[in-house]
Amino acid sequence: MPERLFVCTPSKLGTYLDCPRRYRYSYVDRPSPQKGPPWAHNSLGASVHTALKNWYALPAARRGTEALPTLLKSTWVREGYRDVDQERVTYRKALGWLDTYVAGLDPEQEPLGVERVVATKTAVLAFNGRADRIDARDGEAVIVDYKTGRTGLDADDARGSQALALYAYAAARVFRRPCRRVELHHLPSGTVAAHEHTEESLARQVTRAEDAARDIMAAEKAVAAGADADEEFPTNPGSLCGWCDFRRSCPAGAEVHGKEPWAAVEHLERAE
Ligand code: SF4
């Protein structure tokens, strides 16, 4: 029998590479351990992403900044904030970011895809992922990923992102055109961090993803055959633990002081 393909998204692979134990809690253990409360920064990210998706769903003639307050209000996710005051400040900031960002977009320019799922297979992986936006530029496809976190990003972040590389690899196959350029659009700072991949650099990222997939499949197989799940999916304690949804279920995480659900948006109030 041929080995089955490992079905994955970028976030599934990224979870394993960050911490095998977190991967196990998310994707292997059933029932999955109870997660902590929702995070305000996830709510913020989801709200901004959906508002931009819906902006592109408008007819080109209506794609102006004046559409944004309605779009953002209707997609606003309220979970995770400390209180209504913090939520209001964050909403105002998000609207400001969107205003600036959208003012720099050409409403007539139709992307190849918005929140578009691209999927492809390799000898090891059946990959699928939802790209924020895929632009058509000069006959090529360009991967665009929106970011709403506190810190800006640079070209190294774009170059090193396995998720962006896998999107590019898949998009080239789906759209049958070259896809080498990947971009991180950081809305709070209005900056774009970009990288031009080569065939070789994309192949390297795919190989790394396949290596991770093989490790995961081997660990899952070992656990199914009776191996100790704690050993096969070890903890990786570090700065991520404070933000981990499974901190309360994890022996390493239990020793770490957890972040408040709104910790990653508090700086927005100070900047008011
Ligand atoms: S708390 Fe830390 S070590 Fe435990 S699963 Fe989460 S990230 Fe991994």
Side-chain angles (χ1 to χ4, degrees), residues 19 21-22 25 235-238 240-241 244-247 250-254:
C19 175
R21 181 63 59 84
R22 181 144 125 184
Y25 292 148
T235 59
N236 182 25
L240 286 178
C241 295
C244 178
D245 281 329
F246 300 108
R247 193 177 54 79
C250 172

Side-chain angles (χ1 to χ4, degrees), residues 23-155:
Y23 177 92
R24 188 188 115 198
Y25 292 148
S26 301
Y27 298 104
V28 182
D29 286 0
R30 290 295 176 266
S32 190
Q34 205 183 357
K35 285 185 171 185
W39 300 96
H41 58 275
N42 286 347
S43 296
L44 169 62
S47 305
V48 168
H49 278 71
T50 316
L52 279 170
K53 175 187 162 204
N54 292 345
W55 185 82
Y56 271 108
L58 295 172
R62 287 183 46 215
R63 285 183 198 155
T65 54
E66 61 285 351
L68 290 169
T70 309
L71 290 178
L72 187 61
K73 216 172 273 170
S74 62
T75 63
W76 188 251
V77 182
R78 305 200 57 190
E79 294 174 326
Y81 293 99
R82 187 192 58 231
D83 52 33
V84 173
D85 288 344
Q86 186 182 54
E87 194 185 330
R88 283 208 186 107
V89 168
T90 310
Y91 174 86
R92 278 201 299 275
K93 288 280 178 196
L95 191 55
W97 303 339
L98 283 168
D99 229 39
T100 308
Y101 185 70
V102 157
L105 295 174
D106 178 355
E108 301 291 335
Q109 197 89 48
E110 290 298 339
L112 284 172
V114 174
E115 297 234 354
R116 167 71 196 251
V117 173
V118 284
T120 192
K121 289 177 182 168
T122 75
V124 180
L125 298 170
F127 166 84
N128 74 85
R130 191 181 295 275
D132 288 346
R133 201 171 88 212
I134 304 175
D135 283 351
R137 293 188 218 153
D138 304 325
E140 300 205 358
V142 176
I143 302 296
V144 172
D145 196 41
Y146 305 129
K147 294 288 173 195
T148 55
R150 177 175 189 171
T151 45
L153 299 145
D154 62 21

Side-chain angles (χ1 to χ4, degrees), residues 83-271:
D83 52 33
V84 173
D85 288 344
Q86 186 182 54
E87 194 185 330
R88 283 208 186 107
V89 168
T90 310
Y91 174 86
R92 278 201 299 275
K93 288 280 178 196
L95 191 55
W97 303 339
L98 283 168
D99 229 39
T100 308
Y101 185 70
V102 157
L105 295 174
D106 178 355
E108 301 291 335
Q109 197 89 48
E110 290 298 339
L112 284 172
V114 174
E115 297 234 354
R116 167 71 196 251
V117 173
V118 284
T120 192
K121 289 177 182 168
T122 75
V124 180
L125 298 170
F127 166 84
N128 74 85
R130 191 181 295 275
D132 288 346
R133 201 171 88 212
I134 304 175
D135 283 351
R137 293 188 218 153
D138 304 325
E140 300 205 358
V142 176
I143 302 296
V144 172
D145 196 41
Y146 305 129
K147 294 288 173 195
T148 55
R150 177 175 189 171
T151 45
L153 299 145
D154 62 21
D156 282 346
D157 296 301
R159 181 178 55 79
S161 166
Q162 184 177 78
L164 292 184
L166 291 174
Y167 286 134
Y169 181 84
R173 279 144 190 85
V174 169
F175 294 107
R176 297 175 193 277
R177 62 173 83 190
C179 183
R180 289 182 274 256
R181 186 174 175 85
V182 296
E183 294 182 349
L184 294 166
H185 291 204
H186 186 244
L187 273 74
S189 61
T191 55
V192 173
H195 180 68
E196 293 278 344
H197 276 291
T198 60
E199 289 295 324
E200 293 73 31
S201 67
L202 286 177
R204 270 197 303 277
Q205 289 279 19
V206 171
T207 302
R208 256 179 239 149
E210 289 180 330
D211 289 345
R214 281 196 196 89
D215 289 347
I216 296 169
M217 286 193 284
E220 287 182 351
K221 218 184 234 175
V223 171
D228 182 350
D230 283 355
E231 276 178 26
E232 296 297 328
F233 292 95
T235 59
N236 182 25
S239 57
L240 286 178
C241 295
W243 302 98
C244 178
D245 281 329
F246 300 108
R247 193 177 54 79
R248 288 177 188 81
S249 305
C250 172
E255 293 172 16
V256 173
H257 182 67
K259 303 282 185 189
E260 298 288 3
W262 53 85
V265 301
E266 274 182 319
H267 66 282
L268 298 174
E269 293 173 289
R270 291 195 287 277

